[in-house]
């Protein structure tokens, strides 16, 4: 087959023109396991992909890309909650829509997050005041070497800000094949973030929150179908309270989010914006005009353009604030994942 037939362009929302040696669309755990074992047999790397919305390919991938398309949603009811068992290949936003159409509220704040449900636990997706960990009951993982399946409770997953056990102990050799969600029947709206605070807790409906989140997101974030991007390129940095106070002495309007452990989370987009980098361009890559935390494929960008832009952004923010940003996006080289900070440092 020609490399055209193995294009990864439809499988990365940066819309980069990269390819893999082979692409397997897996609709069952058995197919996923078989594809992984075949790549092991050939001594070639394998890469699991959902919708490629949190991936930056640095080069063509020298192995098999295994695309998870395990489908299915089942709903069970207990006295207090709805329990959803969702195939890892279900699209997350469509799941959110499905729950609202079926009067199962609780996911509305996380509307319009691209990607698959099975990818959601990996970085503990979150938006507008709610994270996956708030609704996750369990995650089913496939041990790729022997096809065994085991279930991790939400507690086992060690969810943190953009973090979980799937970036550590269960990063290699495992695939997420299903996610269990628990949606409390006693719905309580989360309307603390941004424009949501304009809504009234007495009268607000899940649909209104969904609509408001969709409107806010559409005004700030580029649609990957039109402009390649992977959402926030960097994580919001979490720094010591003393350092945050020192920066705030010079920048009193700086957004600060105190954390339970005494550290302080800053808004990376604000830091980049203060460096006057909105619209800044390297080759075909640019800092998004409406949200400085998003790097875009403005005009046929190459991976190198995006890496060079990310390097420049990190340097400028580091030199101005002594805060050194770390990518949220996962960097994939020819043989597999690479250390993203190392690549852009
Ligand atoms: P991919 O990019 O395909 O994969 C991500 C990583 O997971 C890769 O390392 C991959 O190898 C691994 N992986 C994929 N599938 C599996 C599997 N089944 N088992 C094990 N490992 C696997 N994120 C947020 O948290 N909040 C937001 O508000 C948000 N907004 C975004 C807005 C835009 C416009 C975009 C483009 C992205 C945004 N993101 C956001 C990031 C992205 O949506 C999430 O990280 C999402 O969960 C990625 O899903 P995916 O299926 O595309 O994963
Ligand atoms: N800001 C600026 N200039 C900018 C961008 C932001 O001044 O160019 C300021 C905003 O005014 C606001 C603050 O920075 O005071 C935070 O901005 P925003 O509300 O847009 O959120 P964010 O911190 O940039 C995070 C997540 C998003 C998530 C939103 C909403 C991370 C890395 N990003 O963005 O997640 O959708 O909050 O909850 O945590 C993603 O992970 O890909 C992603 C898009």
């Amino acid at each position: 087959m020609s490399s055209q037939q193995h294009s990864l362009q439809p499988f990365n929302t940066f819309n980069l023109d990269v390819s893999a040696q082979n692409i397997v669309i897996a609709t069952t755990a058995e197919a996923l396991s078989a594809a992984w074992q075949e790549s092991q047999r050939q001594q070639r790397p394998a890469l699991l992909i959902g919708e490629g919305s949190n991936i930056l390919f640095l080069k063509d991938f020298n192995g098999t890309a295994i695309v998870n398309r395990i489908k299915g949603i089942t709903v069970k009811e207990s006295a207090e909650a709805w329990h959803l068992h969702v195939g890892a290949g279900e699209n997350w936003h469509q799941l959110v829509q499905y729950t609202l159409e079926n009067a199962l509220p609780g996911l509305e704040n996380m509307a319009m997050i691209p990607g698959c449900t099975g990818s959601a636990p990996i970085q503990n997706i979150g938006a507008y005041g709610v994270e996956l960990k708030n609704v996750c009951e369990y995650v089913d993982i496939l041990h790729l070497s022997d096809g065994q399946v085991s279930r991790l409770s939400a507690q086992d997953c060690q969810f943190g800000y953009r973090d979980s056990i799937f970036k550590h102990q269960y990063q290699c050799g495992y695939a997420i094949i299903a996610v269990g969600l628990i949606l409390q029947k006693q719905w309580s709206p989360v309307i603390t973030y941004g424009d949501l605070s304009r809504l009234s807790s007495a009268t607000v409906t899940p649909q209104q929150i969904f609509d408001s989140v969709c409107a806010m997101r559409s005004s700030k974030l580029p649609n990957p179908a039109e402009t390649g991007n992977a959402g926030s390129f960097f994580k919001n940095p979490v720094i010591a309270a003393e350092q945050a106070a020192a920066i705030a002495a010079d920048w009193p309007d700086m957004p600060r989010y105190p954390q339970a452990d005494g550290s302080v989370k800053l808004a990376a987009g604000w830091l980049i914006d203060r460096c006057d980098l909105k619209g800044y361009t390297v080759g075909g890559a640019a800092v998004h005009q409406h949200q400085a935390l998003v790097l875009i494929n403005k005009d046929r960008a190459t991976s190198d353009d995006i890496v060079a832009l990310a390097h420049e952004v990190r340097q400028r923010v580091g030199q101005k604030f002594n805060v050194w940003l770390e990518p949220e996006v996962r960097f994939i080289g020819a043989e597999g994942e690479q250390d993203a900070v190392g690549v852009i440092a």
Side-chain angles (χ1 to χ4, degrees):
M1 280 192 264
S2 76
S3 67
Q4 186 62 34
Q5 285 168 291
H6 302 303
S7 172
L8 287 169
Q9 206 155 11
F11 300 108
N12 80 99
T13 60
F14 263 121
N15 196 28
L16 294 174
D17 184 11
V18 283
S19 63
Q21 291 283 330
N22 191 18
I23 297 176
V24 174
I25 311 286
T27 57
T28 63
E30 293 72 27
L32 215 153
S33 195
W36 190 84
Q37 284 168 17
E38 176 61 16
S39 69
Q40 291 288 104
R41 206 184 55 72
Q42 295 177 358
Q43 297 184 317
R44 285 198 181 272
L47 175 73
L48 290 162
I49 302 189
E51 296 184 10
S53 65
N54 210 31
I55 282 179
L56 173 66
F57 285 108
L58 302 173
K59 295 212 158 52
D60 289 337
F61 185 64
N62 189 25
T64 302
I66 307 174
V67 181
N68 187 328
R69 288 294 176 268
I70 300 173
K71 300 284 188 173
I73 304 174
T74 55
V75 183
K76 288 191 180 142
E77 185 179 359
S78 64
E80 264 115 48
W82 304 100
H83 305 264
L84 279 68
H85 180 89
V86 186
E90 290 285 348
N91 173 270
W92 175 262
H93 178 69
Q94 284 170 13
L95 173 71
V96 176
Q97 287 177 311
Y98 167 92
T99 57
L100 290 187
E101 282 159 17
N102 289 280
L104 310 167
L107 302 183
E108 54 283 347
N109 295 61
M110 292 189 281
M112 275 181 84
I113 300 181
C116 289
T117 301
S119 311
I122 297 170
Q123 70 160 13
N124 179 28
I125 60 166
Y128 296 95
V130 178
E131 293 179 318
L132 185 87
K133 77 168 182 188
N134 302 123
V135 290
C136 181
E137 190 166 30
Y138 60 82
V139 175
D140 285 348
I141 56 169
L142 174 70
H143 302 233
L144 289 160
S145 56
D146 61 7
Q148 294 290 310
V149 174
S150 52
R151 177 162 293 184
L152 303 184
S153 69
Q155 174 123 7
D156 295 335
C157 294
Q158 299 175 10
F159 290 123
Y161 167 63
R162 298 294 187 265
D163 199 26
S164 75
I165 200 164
F166 307 107
K167 286 186 169 184
H168 305 282
Q169 187 182 335
Y170 289 120
Q171 183 179 343
C172 295
Y174 304 90
I176 294 174
I177 54 167
V179 178
L181 300 174
I182 177 164
L183 303 178
Q184 299 299 334
K185 289 184 178 172
Q186 182 118 32
W187 177 70
S188 44
V190 180
I191 49 171
T192 45
Y193 197 107
D195 289 356
L196 294 180
S197 58
R198 291 188 202 151
L199 300 168
S200 155
S201 60
T203 56
V204 71
T205 65
Q207 187 65 42
Q208 283 171 336
I209 294 178
F210 175 92
D211 292 342
S212 185
V213 166
C214 290
M216 279 188 283
R217 294 184 67 102
S218 302
S219 71
K220 290 187 202 175
L221 297 170
N223 177 355
E226 292 159 10
T227 305
N229 77 95
S232 299
F233 193 87
F234 298 96
K235 288 185 268 197
N236 283 331
V238 180
I239 63 173
E242 298 73 34
Q243 190 188 0
I247 302 172
D250 292 334
W251 302 89
D253 68 334
M254 177 178 73
R256 277 179 288 168
Y257 313 101
Q259 305 295 293
D261 65 359
S263 60
V264 177
K265 193 194 278 178
L266 305 184
W270 185 92
L271 297 170
I272 298 168
D273 204 356
R274 292 293 82 72
C275 296
D276 291 325
L277 285 167
K278 271 187 181 157
Y280 183 82
T281 301
V282 174
V287 176
H288 187 47
Q289 286 284 3
H290 303 300
Q291 226 295 5
L293 192 45
V294 179
L295 305 188
I296 59 170
N297 177 354
K298 190 176 173 201
D299 183 17
R300 286 164 292 162
T302 62
S303 312
D304 288 348
D305 293 342
I306 296 169
V307 167
L309 177 63
H311 168 81
E312 190 62 26
V313 167
R314 184 171 187 269
Q315 289 300 318
R316 297 265 195 113
V317 169
Q319 282 157 9
K320 192 174 182 87
F321 295 103
N322 194 26
V323 173
W324 296 89
L325 300 177
E326 295 180 9
E328 173 189 302
V329 172
R330 315 284 293 268
F331 285 28
I332 311 295
E335 304 296 323
E337 183 156 15
Q338 293 192 9
D339 171 45
V341 172
V343 172
I344 63 164

